[in-house]
Amino acid sequence: MGNIMEKLEITAQEAYCKKVEELTPSELHLALGKVVMGEIAPNWAKSKAKHNSERRAYYFSAEFLMGRMMYNNLYCLGILDEVTKLLKKKGIDINVFEEIDDAALGNGGLGRLAACYLDSAATQEVPLDGYGIRYKYGLFKQLIKDGYQVEIADNWQRFKDPWCVRREDEAVTVSFKDQTVKAVPYDMAVIGCKTDNINTLRLWQAEAVNEFDFTAFNNTEYDRAVKEKNDAENISKVLYPNDNKYEGKVLRLKQQYFFCSASLQDIMRRYKAKHGTDFSHFAEENAIQLNDTHPVSCVPELVRLLQLEGMGFDEAFEIARKTCSYTNHTVLSEALEKWSADLMTQVIPEIYDIICLIANKCQEELIAKGINNEMRAKMRIIDGNAVHMARLATYAGTYVNGVAQLHTEILKADLLKEWYQVYPERFLNKTNGITQRRWLGLCNPELSELITDKVGSDDWLIDLSKLSVLNDCLDARTINKFNKIKAKKKVQLAEYIKKMDGFDVNPDTIFDVQVKRLHEYKRQLINAFSIMAIYFRIKEGKLPNWTPTTFIFGAKAAPGYARAKAIIKYITEIANLVNNDPDTKDKLQVYFISNYNVSYAEKIVVAADISEQTSTAGLEASGTGNMKFMLNGAVTLGTWDGANIEIAECAGVENEYIFGARVEDIDRLKKEGYNPAGLLEQNPELKRVINTLIDGTFDDDGAQGEGSFRELHHALTKGTHWHDPDHYFLIQDLPDYIETKIRANADYADRKEFGKKCLLNVANAGKFSSDRAILEYANEIWHVSHK
């Protein structure tokens, strides 16, 4: 890059009539972002032209959890240190950019995975571009008030965004039964590391075709004057609007169809510029990856658009089938989208009609293959009044993949068993990955320096398998250096938590961390119960050698998810108890940090000693947080689930702390009968812990026996009308979990041996790079070229 500071000074003067050192953080962010965008513009244009000349892939996702772009972009360009020093000469600390909000366009692992994949595709020169929605408010900002989650709007755009370029000239229209809106694209450059290649994330913003009805306003009908504008903008207003009511379901369906239709129109425009109206080569030039079920309306929409070009249904469907592939991210039935046929006919009737044609074609194909009536019934795309989007995606695509070895096997053996029996050639596994640029290079420079020294170069930034060299470098001196780095990162995290949440965290304790989306199957509650068991043992003198530990939680609960919110309240009640008890406060501390996001994660994963991955076996498709902790030298305290299994295989099960029932154990318990209440009667310690929900130990601001904690207790011991007691087997796994946690705590006291376990995790994390994953997609699913 050219003279950055000179260009920054010119931009500051022209845009704000200020010197660089006089700019506010938001002004500096915009000015420096503008300079960087100007510098990369030629390479971006070259990359777009190159991609347009070859077969290319597109990643359709409702979420892209990109995080802050400034540090990551400067890092990938190789100029972060240079810019840091230049700003320092002006008296500016580069950390001022931490005041700029994350682009919170995702909810968790799904969206962060999409962001990592775009990063890896750019670095590995895979011609992959992303398509999604430019939500105005993202997910939500989380406050914790009196122990409860409170949601407020996350206006991440209030400081403006220098990284997205509005492309008004490439806007398209999207029509619903009762509404037509304009989809305006914003392009974000995705910068590769150690390459000139730059990919693109195109995000669509919904706007009104006619923003203002002047006549209505003149007639003092002020609300009607802007109704079309408001109705249109609602579509891209918020990620995952609450769908507990009919209106919310309508908005969600509109969101999904909106970005699918706009994206396909965009791809087809680009194709027509090269080939005219001959779409016979469309599938040869384009591959579309459907990230979960949210973009599955892409399939019937592509058929519809091809029919508008004069193509018959059968031909159009075959092109759609050859173009699209589907990634499944969950085995939870409630997360496998099923849309009401009535709703679809009210919102996107043409799409529903095409889905009916596809559903009929599917049944005809199954009959031709000799599939019996019973099996065909289980494979209906439209079953009763429900449209099964996962079934549609599985039938109407080239490939289906799970995101960890266990997950893919569960898809084949259970969730999509019939489909696997009929179409086994479609099923592949693609274990998730993370980008080492952001999740090690950028957020942990001290460990990165140590690795580069031991490996002999920083080539691990683009080939994480090179970390395996560390297996031969586990001498006492290296372990000591690693432990010092970990201690430094813990001090930095403690300072950050103090700044963000006001907690006084002791960095000289074990950092036992569980940060992820709040959901019952992820079982933050089992962690909370284990802390209560340990608290009681410490109080009673049963853990005399307990190493002081700080338990750190971070999670957002969906706004309409009452039980998840109750779990947050329960954890904060535990924190109030143990942090203030003179018998335990020096040995046990609990903190629930607020508004967990990518930037918070960058501080947390580098400082953790123990990574909590406690999902019920068979329910976490993969996880990627577990990989981030592993890469930065934390041991996994987790179940035989998702990628935990592969982590243990790579680093050695002796270097992790695995507990609890396996999938086959859970299946057996379901078959033979599971009685959690009986287990509690046999184990007084567990009963005492579980009963803290109802015995007055904690206050959930409800009348005794009628609050949200009582509901949690009832669900565990007696079940509800929609699930059996202890649906996620917390009580089953809790005894083993407590003892495994205590064993990890005891092992930590031997700093050399525990440090060795941590370094072995780092050394064997190479498999979990998103570079490896994206190259597998490129070679085995999309069949596109790369470097």
Side-chain angles (χ1 to χ4, degrees):
M1 294 181 69
N3 191 324
I4 299 171
M5 189 51 65
E6 182 179 321
K7 292 176 181 178
L8 182 58
E9 287 171 343
I10 293 170
T11 302
Q13 187 62 40
E14 290 178 348
Y16 301 106
C17 296
K18 289 182 178 181
K19 296 178 180 179
V20 171
E21 55 268 35
E22 295 172 340
L23 297 175
T24 66
S26 60
E27 290 169 346
L28 180 62
H29 181 250
L30 283 172
L32 182 54
K34 187 175 181 180
V35 170
V36 172
M37 290 295 288
E39 290 294 305
I40 68 170
N43 284 341
W44 197 8
K46 288 178 187 175
S47 298
K48 285 184 176 182
K50 182 177 183 296
H51 296 170
N52 208 32
S53 68
E54 59 190 349
R55 175 172 168 82
R56 61 197 300 191
Y58 301 97
Y59 204 78
F60 279 37
S61 180
E63 302 181 37
F64 285 94
L65 192 51
M66 302 301 287
R68 286 199 195 102
M69 297 303 295
M70 178 64 81
Y71 300 123
N72 191 71
N73 284 347
L74 294 177
Y75 186 83
C76 286
L77 289 167
I79 59 170
L80 179 59
D81 289 343
E82 177 188 353
V83 172
T84 300
K85 291 173 184 174
L86 289 172
L87 291 177
K88 190 173 183 179
K89 289 180 180 178
K90 295 285 185 179
I92 302 169
D93 185 343
I94 199 166
N95 290 324
V96 296
F97 295 129
E98 289 185 352
E99 296 183 27
I100 308 302
D101 286 348
D102 286 22
L105 308 184
N107 185 32
L110 181 85
R112 186 53 229 172
L113 178 75
C116 283
Y117 279 175
L118 292 186
D119 176 284
S120 285
T123 296
Q124 298 300 328
E125 298 183 15
V126 174
L128 174 74
D129 293 326
Y131 277 113
I133 298 177
R134 190 172 189 258
Y135 304 101
K136 181 173 182 180
Y137 291 109
L139 187 60
F140 58 83
K141 270 193 175 178
Q142 180 197 54
L143 305 179
I144 303 295
K145 291 187 176 180
D146 299 323
Y148 288 100
Q149 171 178 295
V150 176
E151 305 94 18
I152 61 173
D154 179 18
N155 188 9
W156 69 277
Q157 296 178 30
R158 75 184 189 280
F159 290 133
K160 298 186 180 178
D161 174 21
W163 308 113
C164 282
V165 179
R166 183 180 172 96
R167 306 288 189 188
E168 181 85 32
D169 58 316
E170 295 185 356
V172 298
T173 58
V174 176
S175 294
F176 308 97
K177 184 177 181 179
D178 63 346
Q179 183 184 22
T180 297
V181 302
K182 184 166 68 171
V184 181
Y186 282 75
D187 284 355
M188 178 181 287
V190 183
I191 300 169
C193 181
K194 296 194 175 192
T195 173
D196 291 334
N197 183 61
I198 297 174
N199 289 359
T200 303
L201 169 59
R202 174 159 282 194
L203 300 171
W204 298 99
Q205 183 167 292
E207 299 179 6
V209 176
N210 300 297
E211 286 202 344
F212 186 69
D213 187 334
F214 185 80
T215 302
F217 190 87
N218 227 23
N219 291 332
T220 69
E221 298 175 90
Y222 304 126
D223 289 341
R224 190 166 73 84
V226 293
K227 185 177 187 306
E228 183 177 345
K229 179 178 188 294
N230 291 338
D231 287 350
E233 291 178 359
N234 281 343
I235 292 172
S236 58
K237 190 81 79 180
V238 174
L239 170 68
Y240 298 148
N242 192 335
D243 63 352
N244 288 348
K245 296 182 179 179
Y246 177 79
E247 293 79 7
K249 290 180 172 62
V250 169
L251 186 55
R252 279 212 190 191
L253 184 57
K254 283 187 173 183
Q255 281 187 338
Q256 294 183 8
Y257 178 69
F258 165 76
F259 96 84
C260 287
S261 178
S263 304
L264 286 170
Q265 290 182 61
D266 197 47
I267 294 169
M268 291 181 69
R269 171 191 58 77
R270 201 174 292 121
Y271 178 90
K272 287 174 75 172
K274 289 175 63 180
H275 299 283
T277 57
D278 177 10
F279 280 89
S280 60
H281 301 289
F282 186 83
E284 296 170 19
E285 293 205 2
N286 302 289
I288 296 173
Q289 193 69 31
L290 307 176
N291 191 34
D292 213 356
T293 51
H294 312 120
V296 172
S297 59
C298 167
V299 173
E301 174 64 3
L302 180 53
V303 172
R304 186 187 74 84
L305 292 172
L306 289 171
Q307 287 179 313
L308 288 178
E309 297 293 337
M311 194 173 286
F313 168 76
D314 287 333
E315 187 181 2
F317 175 70
E318 286 308 310
I319 288 175
R321 179 186 253 180
K322 290 175 183 176
T323 303
C324 298
S325 293
Y326 162 56
T327 298
N328 175 281
H329 282 278
T330 183
V331 299
L332 296 177
S333 58
E334 65 267 28
L336 292 170
E337 286 187 311
K338 295 179 281 289
W339 288 106
S340 157
D342 296 336
L343 179 68
M344 277 196 151
T345 56
Q346 289 301 311
V347 180
I348 44 175
E350 288 181 84
I351 295 304
Y352 178 71
D353 290 343
I354 292 171
I355 292 174
C356 289
L357 293 176
I358 295 172
N360 291 337
K361 187 177 184 67
C362 176
Q363 288 295 307
E364 291 170 3
E365 191 172 310
L366 294 175
I367 290 171
K369 287 177 176 289
I371 306 304
N372 63 47
N373 290 339
E374 182 182 357
M375 189 166 170
R376 288 204 316 275
K378 296 177 181 178
M379 300 174 72
R380 291 193 187 109
I381 292 172
I382 302 175
D383 194 0
N385 192 45
V387 180
H388 291 253
M389 302 305 277
R391 295 178 188 176
L392 174 60
T394 303
Y395 172 65
T398 304
Y399 296 106
V400 180
N401 73 277
V403 292
Q405 197 64 53
L406 173 65
H407 173 228
T408 299
E409 292 307 310
I410 291 173
L411 292 183
K412 294 192 292 188
D414 186 8
L415 191 73
L416 299 175
K417 177 176 67 175
E418 293 79 16
W419 297 94
Y420 177 64
Q421 290 173 359
V422 178
Y423 304 104
E425 72 282 356
R426 295 186 185 180
F427 284 75
L428 299 169
N429 178 63
K430 295 286 167 278
T431 297
N432 284 345
I434 58 171
T435 166
Q436 64 267 32
R437 270 80 60 185
R438 183 182 284 266
W439 295 109
L440 178 55
L442 178 62
C443 65
N444 202 341
E446 297 88 352
L447 182 55
S448 299
E449 185 179 346
L450 177 62
I451 291 169
T452 297
D453 178 58
K454 295 298 177 182
V455 171
S457 75
D458 65 355
D459 287 349
W460 57 268
L461 282 170
I462 55 173
D463 182 2
L464 198 60
S465 67
K466 292 185 181 297
L467 290 188
S468 62
V469 173
L470 292 173
N471 282 305
D472 300 321
C473 304
L474 300 177
D475 55 273
R477 186 178 178 189
T478 302
I479 293 170
N480 187 48
K481 283 183 178 179
F482 169 81
N483 285 339
K484 286 182 177 178
I485 290 168
K486 183 68 75 172
K488 179 179 180 180
K489 304 316 284 187
K490 289 162 80 169
V491 169
Q492 291 173 353
L493 175 60
E495 292 170 350
Y496 192 76
I497 291 175
K498 178 66 174 178
K499 173 185 171 184
M500 302 302 291
D501 284 286
F503 299 139
D504 291 308
V505 177
N506 181 3
D508 295 324
T509 59
I510 297 174
F511 278 12
D512 184 307
V513 180
Q514 187 167 34
V515 287
K516 56 182 72 248
R517 181 167 59 91
L518 204 304
H519 196 288
E520 287 170 271
Y521 87 84
K522 293 179 183 289
R523 301 201 301 187
Q524 286 91 344
L525 187 55
I526 197 174
N527 191 354
F529 285 151
S530 76
I531 294 169
M532 283 307 301
I534 290 166
Y535 166 75
F536 287 135
R537 289 192 190 186
I538 291 174
K539 287 277 287 183
E540 294 165 3
K542 296 177 180 177
L543 281 177
N545 298 318
W546 175 261
T547 303
T549 301
T550 298
F551 292 95
I552 299 172
F553 292 85
K556 290 181 179 179
Y561 195 170
R563 198 176 282 174
K565 289 185 168 183
I567 292 170
I568 292 176
K569 174 63 173 173
Y570 182 64
I571 293 168
T572 60
E573 286 292 304
I574 292 173
N576 288 337
L577 173 68
V578 305
N579 294 358
N580 295 299
D581 188 324
D583 294 334
T584 61
K585 65 185 181 69
D586 294 331
K587 296 182 179 180
L588 207 58
Q589 292 279 290
V590 178
Y591 299 104
F592 194 104
I593 58 145
S594 62
N595 203 44
Y596 174 65
N597 58 16
V598 174
S599 293
Y600 225 138
E602 290 170 2
K603 303 289 194 301
I604 290 172
V605 298
V606 299
D609 297 301
I610 296 173
S611 160
E612 295 272 1
Q613 308 295 333
T614 59
S615 55
T616 310
L619 295 187
E620 183 71 87
S622 169
T624 52
N626 47 6
M627 302 171 189
K628 293 159 193 164
F629 285 109
M630 178 194 195
L631 184 60
N632 284 278
V635 297
T636 297
L637 174 55
T639 51
W640 289 105
D641 195 27
N644 296 349
I645 297 169
E646 291 165 73
I647 286 172
E649 288 173 350
C650 290
V653 69
E654 69 278 7
N655 297 309
E656 316 298 347
Y657 294 88
I658 307 298
F659 72 92
R662 299 182 183 233
V663 171
E664 54 268 31
D665 300 321
I666 298 292
D667 290 341
R668 176 179 49 78
L669 286 168
K670 287 179 179 178
K671 185 178 180 180
E672 295 177 358
Y674 174 49
N675 180 18
L679 292 179
L680 291 181
E681 290 305 318
Q682 296 168 23
N683 190 322
E685 180 184 43
L686 295 196
K687 186 175 183 180
R688 179 186 186 188
V689 167
I690 304 299
N691 281 350
T692 58
L693 287 165
I694 58 169
D695 65 6
T697 301
F698 299 120
D699 180 14
D700 61 346
D701 297 335
Q704 183 83 25
E706 295 180 4
S708 59
F709 290 177
R710 165 69 62 170
E711 199 279 332
L712 281 175
H713 187 273
H714 194 279
L716 287 168
T717 58
K718 297 180 181 177
T720 70
H721 68 282
W722 58 271
H723 70 70
D724 293 331
D726 193 16
H727 186 55
Y728 296 110
F729 297 89
L730 280 77
I731 295 169
Q732 170 69 30
D733 282 351
L734 187 53
D736 189 17
Y737 178 44
I738 293 169
E739 298 310 317
T740 305
K741 181 170 281 189
I742 291 171
R743 178 163 57 87
N745 182 277
D747 287 353
Y748 182 87
D750 186 336
R751 301 301 301 118
K752 180 181 176 182
E753 282 305 307
F754 196 87
K756 184 178 180 180
K757 287 176 185 278
C758 293
L759 269 175
L760 281 164
N761 273 273
V762 179
N764 294 285
K767 173 181 179 176
F768 302 104
S769 171
S770 49
D771 295 355
R772 182 269 314 154
I774 212 69
L775 290 175
E776 288 181 4
Y777 277 99
N779 293 329
E780 299 169 28
I781 293 181
W782 307 328
H783 308 295
V784 294
S785 62
H786 52 83
K787 71 178 181 184

